[in-house]
Amino acid sequence: MKNFLLICLLILLSASGYACPVCDQRQPKLLRGITHGTGPDSNWDYLIISVMGAIVLVTLYYSVKWLLAPGEKSASHIKRFILDDPYYGR
């Protein structure tokens, strides 16, 4: 199952990364050979995509940070009630 998922992921990544020759000619120099379809209409499109990318990266950073080290230390926190319950084990 693990090998199947890995092969599917590799096929998906390899198939989505190349543009056809017609789309390749229509793209600006920066995106040539990467994406399909029409290129950005103006410089505002680059700004919008950059801001969205920054938001995604900040969200990913804080999600991983708080998942690995949440930082709640009080004894009355809800996680202590759930994790210290003898029925759930330790």
Side-chain angles (χ1 to χ4, degrees), residues 1-82:
M1 183 69 172
K2 192 176 192 180
N3 289 337
F4 175 73
L5 292 175
L6 183 62
I7 290 171
C8 288
L9 179 66
L10 290 174
I11 289 172
L12 179 67
L13 290 175
S14 66
S16 65
Y18 301 105
C20 63
V22 175
C23 293
D24 196 29
Q25 294 173 354
R26 294 182 182 171
Q27 292 293 332
K29 197 172 191 178
L30 179 67
L31 299 173
R32 202 162 280 171
I34 298 174
T35 60
H36 283 283
T38 60
D41 294 331
S42 70
N43 288 336
W44 286 104
D45 292 340
Y46 291 114
L47 178 68
I48 292 168
I49 291 172
S50 299
V51 169
M52 288 181 359
I55 290 171
V56 167
L57 290 176
V58 168
T59 304
L60 178 65
Y61 169 76
Y62 281 111
S63 298
V64 170
K65 176 184 173 186
W66 289 330
L67 182 65
L68 296 177
E72 292 94 5
K73 295 186 181 5
S74 75
S76 64
H77 194 269
I78 187 74
K79 77 174 184 179
R80 300 286 179 214
F81 175 72
I82 294 170

